[in-house]
């Protein structure tokens, strides 16, 4: 069990904000931190990793104390079993792919593990290439494998797919989920993409103004505002196609793609990539932008 109770004063453009969170995560769970920019999501990841010291609080991981400000305990980052994938990947440009993975082992040697991870990510042929010669998707896979080479108890993902196109993002979502299950790690993701959250997460912590506003399963958190309907889904518009006098919308909901129809007036403010709610009202499908 992972227990986190911390408080940290954040200096934002609009002034000081208090980040104060208290939550527990079950081992092996996949949790997403959700909320607007500036609410403290990345700060929580960095506090967990030991990169930022909170003003007060504690962190325990499977009975081991990582942080306790009252007892002056604060394990350094290298002693925390953490894998961290940053939004910009943070790869070492002067090192090859293999050297980036090797560096994460802090002087240890584990060639079989590195070879296994390179194979899992289809990076064997790129092992001697430098990061700047790779595509965005390839760099993301290197960053992910570098985080996993430490065999972490907790994998921290700070919007790692935000810079990728839709097709690559969906492919890597599947890869992240399979790796999460394979390594049985507890994963904490920061994401704004509702389709990504629904596809990957079994638990969500929704933040606002540095506080937890809601937590639970995706349906628990995003289903709190009920509409007068029997069906309500949240997804991402993948495509909008004209078909005679109506338009066909392909919407990704979880791991499924649903199709619905809309008029020209109804799609006026919609475009691929929009996060939407789909619900039925008087037997007619309604698509509402979030």
């Amino acid at each position: 069990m992972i227990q986190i109770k911390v408080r940290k004063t954040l200096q934002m453009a609009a002034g000081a904000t208090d980040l104060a969170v208290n939550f527990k995560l079950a081992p092996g769970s996949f949790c997403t931190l959700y909320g607007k920019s500036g609410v403290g999501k990345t700060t929580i990841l960095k506090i967990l990793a030991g990169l930022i010291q909170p003003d007060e609080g504690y962190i325990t991981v499977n009975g081991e104390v990582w942080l306790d400000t009252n007892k002056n305990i604060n394990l350094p980052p290298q002693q925390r079993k953490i894998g961290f994938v940053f939004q910009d990947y943070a790869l070492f440009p002067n090192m090859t792919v293999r050297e980036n993975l090797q560096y994460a082992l802090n002087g240890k040697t584990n060639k079989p593990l590195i070879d296994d991870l390179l194979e899992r990510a289809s990076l064997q042929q790129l092992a001697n290439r430098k990061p700047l010669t790779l595509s965005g998707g390839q760099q993301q896979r290197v960053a992910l494998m570098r985080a996993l080479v430490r065999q972490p108890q907790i994998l921290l993902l700070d919007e790692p797919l935000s810079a990728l196109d839709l097709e690559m993002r969906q492919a890597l979502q599947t890869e992240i989920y399979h790796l999460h299950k394979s390594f049985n790690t507890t994963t904490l993701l920061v994401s704004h993409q509702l389709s990504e959250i629904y596809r990957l997460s079994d638990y969500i912590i929704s933040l606002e103004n540095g506080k937890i506003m809601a937590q639970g399963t995706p349906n628990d958190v995003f289903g709190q505002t009920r509409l007068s309907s029997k069906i309500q889904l949240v997804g991402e518009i993948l495509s909008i196609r004209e078909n005679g006098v109506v338009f066909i919308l392909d919407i990704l909901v979880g791991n499924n793609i649903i199709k619905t129809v809309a008029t020209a007036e109804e799609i006026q403010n919609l475009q691929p990539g929009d996060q939407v709610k789909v619900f039925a009202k008087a037997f007619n499908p309604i698509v509402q932008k979030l």
Side-chain angles (χ1 to χ4, degrees):
M1 180 68 69
I2 299 167
Q3 301 183 61
I4 305 166
K5 183 179 181 181
V6 295
R7 185 186 65 80
K8 174 74 174 176
T9 299
L10 306 178
Q11 298 298 328
M12 311 297 291
T17 298
D18 263 347
L19 171 68
V21 296
N22 182 0
F23 60 90
K24 298 179 181 180
L25 296 177
S29 60
F30 197 119
C31 175
T32 294
L33 298 177
Y34 177 79
K36 295 179 180 178
S37 296
V39 299
K41 303 184 299 297
T42 297
T43 300
I44 292 172
L45 297 192
K46 290 183 176 180
I47 288 174
L48 257 171
L51 301 175
I52 290 179
Q53 167 115 16
D55 299 329
E56 60 180 353
Y58 63 84
I59 299 171
T60 61
V61 179
N62 299 329
E64 180 182 9
V65 179
W66 285 11
L67 171 78
D68 190 329
T69 54
N70 287 332
K71 297 180 179 178
N72 201 28
I73 297 173
N74 184 21
L75 289 186
Q78 61 270 24
Q79 291 183 22
R80 303 188 185 201
K81 297 175 182 175
I82 289 285
F84 205 138
V85 179
F86 297 88
Q87 189 171 357
D88 62 358
Y89 312 141
L91 299 174
F92 296 108
N94 60 320
M95 295 184 183
T96 65
V97 169
R98 180 179 291 278
E99 288 169 344
N100 264 275
L101 270 63
Q102 177 61 51
Y103 184 85
L105 290 174
N106 293 324
K108 299 177 183 178
T109 301
N110 194 335
K111 187 175 183 298
L113 176 59
I114 291 176
D115 288 341
D116 176 56
L117 289 171
L118 291 174
E119 183 177 357
R120 284 172 182 261
S122 301
L123 293 169
Q124 309 98 311
Q125 304 302 316
L126 305 175
N128 296 318
R129 295 261 299 271
K130 300 289 182 65
L132 294 180
T133 68
L134 305 179
S135 69
Q138 290 166 342
Q139 290 184 45
Q140 196 279 343
R141 294 206 300 274
V142 175
L144 183 59
M145 297 306 128
R146 187 181 63 178
L148 288 171
V149 78
R150 300 185 63 190
Q151 299 177 287
Q153 288 180 303
I154 306 174
L155 178 63
L156 305 176
L157 306 174
D158 189 8
E159 297 193 74
L161 309 181
S162 60
L164 304 177
D165 61 41
L166 178 62
E167 184 178 357
M168 179 59 67
R169 191 166 71 235
Q170 290 177 0
L172 289 174
Q173 285 169 7
T174 301
E175 189 168 321
I176 286 172
Y177 184 78
H178 288 158
L179 288 165
H180 160 77
K181 289 295 186 182
S182 176
F183 280 79
N184 195 32
T185 184
T186 303
T187 301
L188 199 56
L189 168 73
V190 169
S191 177
H192 292 94
Q193 294 285 336
L194 290 183
S195 60
E196 184 170 279
I197 294 169
Y198 265 75
R199 171 177 280 188
L200 295 174
S201 310
D202 48 51
Y203 200 76
I204 292 173
I205 295 173
S206 180
L207 298 162
E208 187 175 326
N209 297 323
K211 308 294 188 295
I212 296 176
M213 303 306 295
Q215 56 185 311
T217 67
N219 286 331
D220 289 338
V221 172
F222 295 120
Q224 289 182 352
T225 303
R226 299 292 181 185
L227 298 171
S228 56
S229 60
K230 294 183 179 180
I231 300 174
Q232 180 176 305
L233 303 169
V234 175
E236 176 180 336
I237 296 178
L238 301 181
S239 66
I240 301 175
R241 305 188 310 277
E242 188 173 359
N243 187 3
V245 296
V246 298
F247 291 81
I248 307 295
L249 279 66
D250 291 325
I251 302 174
L252 178 68
V253 178
N255 291 319
N256 301 305
I257 296 176
I258 65 170
K259 297 181 184 294
T260 187
V261 297
T263 65
E265 182 179 354
E266 290 169 336
I267 67 155
Q268 194 169 17
N269 295 317
L270 299 177
Q271 61 184 354
D274 283 346
Q275 307 297 310
V276 294
K277 279 186 179 178
V278 184
F279 58 98
K281 191 169 184 180
F283 301 104
N284 293 318
I286 305 291
V287 178
Q288 183 182 79
K289 186 174 180 178
L290 293 176

